[in-house]
């Protein structure tokens, strides 16, 4: 496969861009305990975006792995997970805030530390939303790639330390043209006392056309219907 684009997302760094449908987005952790927070929006209509509740309830899941899809609030598939070396990616713990980051890792400023200051997911997302003609009102629950968070019997949320090792990978396939936003900032439940410094590489490739035998299409009947909705959307656009 020919690589279309690549980037190494440094610790604390953010990025957003337009990625067309039919692309592989390959993530690789370049150290232990990586976390990349991710948001997705329909490029043609940003009122349609990743919907965490619909994604989870339709697939009877609380985390994401190979075979799962990330659904929009219009019942369509924004992206699918086609490869995954970890088997679990967090969908429920959200992104870091400025208050949480300062309390956990110590208050820092750009003026004092330049690019080594401690960024947070919320601020990173807000800045990239503005760059894409959106605002803070467009913030939604994110996906945290490379992190594992599960619920204990008493209802408490537990972060599993050591889940992500250097070299871990996950590959998404885009099913819609999207605005893609990522933030290399810690999972809010990560108990580490030092701000994590793990770069993550991102590579984009062309993906083959999806057919009816695809694992993600057939994961559940709800997935199949969501793919049908997506294909109908583009058929009516003449694409």
């Amino acid at each position: 496969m020919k690589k279309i684009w690549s980037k190494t997302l440094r610790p604390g760094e953010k990025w957003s861009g337009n990625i067309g449908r039919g692309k592989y987005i390959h993530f690789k952790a370049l150290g232990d305990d990586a976390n990349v927070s991710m948001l997705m929006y329909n490029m043609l209509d940003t009122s349609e975006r990743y919907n965490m509740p619909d994604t989870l309830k339709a697939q009877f899941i609380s985390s994401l792995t190979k075979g799962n899809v990330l659904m929009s609030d219009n019942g369509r598939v924004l992206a699918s997970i086609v490869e995954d070396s970890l088997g679990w990616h967090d969908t429920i713990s959200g992104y870091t805030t400025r208050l949480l980051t300062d309390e956990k890792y110590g208050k820092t400023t750009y003026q004092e530390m330049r690019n080594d200051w401690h960024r947070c997911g919320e601020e990173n997302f807000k800045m990239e939303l503005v760059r894409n003609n959106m605002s803070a009102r467009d913030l939604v629950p994110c996906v945290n790639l490379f992190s594992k968070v599960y619920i204990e019997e008493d209802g408490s949320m537990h972060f599993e330390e050591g889940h992500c090792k250097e070299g871990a990978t996950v590959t998404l396939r885009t099913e819609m043209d999207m605005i893609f936003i990522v933030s290399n900032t810690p999972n809010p439940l990560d108990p580490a006392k030092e701000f994590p410094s793990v770069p993550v590489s991102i590579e984009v490739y062309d993906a083959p056309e999806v057919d009816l035998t695809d694992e993600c299409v057939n994961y559940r009947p709800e997935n199949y219907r969501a793919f049908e909705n997506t294909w109908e959307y583009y058929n009516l656009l003449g694409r």
Side-chain angles (χ1 to χ4, degrees):
M1 289 185 297
K2 181 180 179 181
K3 189 186 331 182
I4 298 172
W5 175 85
S6 65
K7 178 178 179 60
T8 297
L9 204 64
R10 300 186 302 273
E13 191 175 6
K14 55 190 170 44
W15 181 84
S16 68
N18 296 337
I19 302 181
R21 63 194 293 243
K23 299 290 186 290
Y24 286 141
I25 309 175
H26 178 74
F27 295 85
K28 182 177 181 179
L30 303 182
D32 296 345
D33 302 318
N35 184 82
V36 172
S37 300
M38 176 178 70
L39 297 176
M40 292 173 291
Y41 301 80
N42 180 350
M43 190 193 306
L44 302 179
D45 177 6
T46 57
S47 68
E48 181 178 9
R49 65 280 308 269
Y50 166 68
N51 185 286
M52 180 262 276
D54 286 354
T55 294
L56 302 188
K57 71 183 181 183
Q59 298 176 92
F60 291 77
I61 54 173
S62 63
S63 61
L64 294 170
T65 187
K66 183 180 179 181
N68 293 144
V69 300
L70 291 85
M71 295 185 182
S72 79
D73 43 12
N74 283 352
R76 294 191 275 257
V77 184
L78 285 162
S80 306
I81 299 181
V82 295
E83 293 296 340
D84 178 22
S85 70
L86 284 172
W88 191 301
H89 300 271
D90 169 45
T91 62
I92 57 178
S93 59
Y95 41 77
T96 52
T97 63
R98 172 49 51 200
L99 179 62
L100 174 66
T101 301
D102 289 348
E103 288 180 346
K104 193 179 233 183
Y105 306 112
K107 189 171 183 178
T108 60
T109 65
Y110 175 77
Q111 288 75 15
E112 293 175 345
M113 300 184 66
R114 298 304 181 191
N115 288 331
D116 290 329
W117 76 296
H118 300 156
R119 298 171 175 87
C120 72
E122 182 180 23
E123 291 172 347
N124 278 355
F125 282 150
K126 285 179 178 178
M127 283 187 277
E128 294 307 311
L129 285 168
V130 169
R131 287 176 175 168
N132 289 279
N133 297 314
M134 291 181 277
S135 67
R137 66 183 295 179
D138 295 293
L139 273 171
V140 293
C142 67
V143 173
N144 285 310
L145 297 177
F146 300 112
S147 288
K148 181 174 182 178
V149 174
Y150 60 89
I151 308 298
E152 300 280 14
E153 290 293 331
D154 62 2
S156 61
M157 297 169 66
H158 179 78
F159 179 90
E160 183 162 311
E161 297 181 72
H163 173 64
C164 173
K165 300 297 185 184
E166 182 177 356
T169 61
V170 57
T171 303
L172 308 181
R173 183 182 62 215
T174 59
E175 312 296 353
M176 297 183 69
D177 300 323
M178 68 169 70
I179 296 173
F180 193 68
I181 305 177
V182 287
S183 174
N184 186 358
T185 40
N187 188 291
L189 299 183
D190 187 340
K193 292 181 172 56
E194 298 293 327
F195 191 87
S197 298
V198 184
V200 173
S201 69
I202 309 174
E203 299 175 338
V204 176
Y205 302 84
D206 280 323
E209 188 173 348
V210 180
D211 62 34
L212 295 179
T213 66
D214 185 81
E215 179 179 358
C216 298
V217 174
N218 293 288
Y219 181 82
R220 285 197 55 80
E222 291 83 355
N223 290 37
Y224 192 99
R225 289 197 292 272
F227 271 98
E228 285 185 316
N229 293 339
T230 309
W231 297 332
E232 178 183 74
Y233 175 74
Y234 280 102
N235 286 339
L236 291 171
L237 289 173
R239 298 171 57 194

